[in-house]
Amino acid sequence: MMKQYNDISQDSFAVEYRQKIFGYKVKAILKPSYEDNLVLSANIYFTKNNRTFMLHSKSFGDTVFCNGRQDPKEKNLKILKKYNHKTVKSDYTANKDEQEPMLLYKPFFFKDLDFDDIPELIIVHNSLAVRWHNGYDVYHIVEGVPILMDKPPYYNADNNGFGMTDYPKFDFKRKIITCPIPEGELCYTDFIVYGISKKKDKIKVNGRYHYLNKLVRQAKSTRF
């Protein structure tokens, strides 16, 4: 893993964040996507307490280093040419104008999305969802191990190989998530609402069981 972590000998470059984010040192290796060579994907490495794990973004969400699919002037290739084989130091700062739970202009972020006051780690796939919206993979971090939240509303197998999008609306006071159907339309035909179940999800990590909030579909739909 360490060779892959540091290897920028191919057409690729590294982005290394100066700040620790939630205690993690973070470094990303960007390269043309296998699925679309006009988009820069990234393996993102998170290191804390001498332990490293890697998560993948199909389209790196930091618009300084990747414009996602919305790139008619092929700026992504110009960015790759500018930084190819280099390591770039960068600042990770929250955008003050981003008020929505699902941030648009960061490659990853930490935020509580299951209403248990414990932030999850969200990986951004810039502009890969319907109508150029973002896709997101949401992970619990349990004992330093990323666990993909692979059930609705956090995961949909039809979402181009990733989990959520930025269409669902979060109500943190009522602790519900409202998902419009179909995504991308001006007028929605229905809404699916998810709320906290009385039962917990049970997962086993390093031989120990952990109990996590479980969101289930509610009986009634609601409007935004």
Side-chain angles (χ1 to χ4, degrees):
M1 174 178 288
M2 294 307 294
K3 182 178 180 180
Q4 182 184 22
Y5 176 44
N6 293 294
D7 185 9
I8 52 175
S9 59
Q10 303 299 317
D11 281 343
S12 61
F13 65 95
V15 174
E16 194 171 280
Y17 289 96
R18 295 186 180 93
Q19 302 86 357
K20 287 186 177 180
I21 303 99
F22 273 80
Y24 289 94
K25 290 182 64 66
V26 183
K27 183 175 182 178
I29 306 295
L30 281 73
K31 62 183 65 177
S33 168
Y34 291 115
E35 298 176 1
D36 182 351
N37 62 12
L38 298 181
V39 171
L40 298 182
S41 64
N43 290 339
I44 309 175
Y45 296 85
F46 297 83
T47 301
K48 180 192 284 189
N49 299 327
N50 295 318
R51 297 175 61 184
T52 299
F53 62 83
M54 184 273 286
L55 298 172
H56 183 71
S57 170
K58 293 186 173 185
S59 180
F60 195 66
D62 190 329
T63 50
V64 173
F65 300 108
C66 176
N67 288 265
R69 286 192 302 148
Q70 299 188 72
D71 187 30
K73 295 183 179 180
E74 299 187 1
K75 291 183 180 179
N76 289 333
L77 297 182
K78 296 176 183 177
I79 291 170
L80 177 61
K81 183 177 180 181
K82 178 179 179 180
Y83 295 118
N84 207 8
H85 312 311
K86 298 178 181 178
T87 295
V88 184
K89 299 284 187 178
S90 182
D91 290 315
Y92 183 100
T93 55
N95 291 352
K96 295 181 180 180
D97 59 336
E98 290 197 60
Q99 302 299 321
E100 294 296 325
M102 307 306 280
L103 301 185
L104 302 179
Y105 306 113
K106 292 298 173 190
F108 63 90
F109 56 92
F110 290 84
K111 186 166 291 191
D112 172 26
L113 296 184
D114 65 351
F115 313 116
D116 65 354
D117 297 323
I118 301 173
E120 280 71 50
L121 170 56
I122 299 91
I123 299 295
V124 181
H125 308 280
N126 185 279
S127 66
L128 288 189
V130 63
R131 292 187 183 273
W132 311 104
H133 282 234
N134 284 358
Y136 303 87
D137 284 323
V138 184
Y139 294 85
H140 292 296
I141 303 298
V142 182
E143 296 193 24
V145 178
I147 307 295
L148 179 66
M149 298 171 70
D150 60 357
K151 299 181 180 67
Y154 305 100
Y155 187 82
N156 183 337
D158 297 327
N159 277 344
N160 196 28
F162 48 75
M164 292 194 80
T165 66
D166 50 30
Y167 284 100
K169 299 296 181 182
F170 287 75
D171 187 328
F172 289 94
K173 290 184 178 180
R174 298 167 62 195
K175 297 184 178 181
I176 60 173
I177 302 173
T178 302
C179 303
I181 300 177
E183 290 188 354
E185 297 298 323
L186 296 178
C187 297
Y188 300 119
T189 59
D190 198 6
F191 299 83
I192 301 175
V193 180
Y194 293 87
I196 299 176
S197 171
K198 294 181 180 179
K199 297 181 179 180
K200 296 281 189 177
D201 274 330
K202 182 172 73 171
I203 63 171
K204 189 175 183 180
V205 177
N206 296 329
R208 290 178 286 271
Y209 287 104
H210 299 263
Y211 296 86
L212 308 170
N213 272 359
K214 179 178 182 179
L215 269 74
V216 295
R217 186 169 177 169
Q218 303 295 288
K220 294 182 180 180
S221 296
T222 185
R223 298 291 173 178
F224 287 163

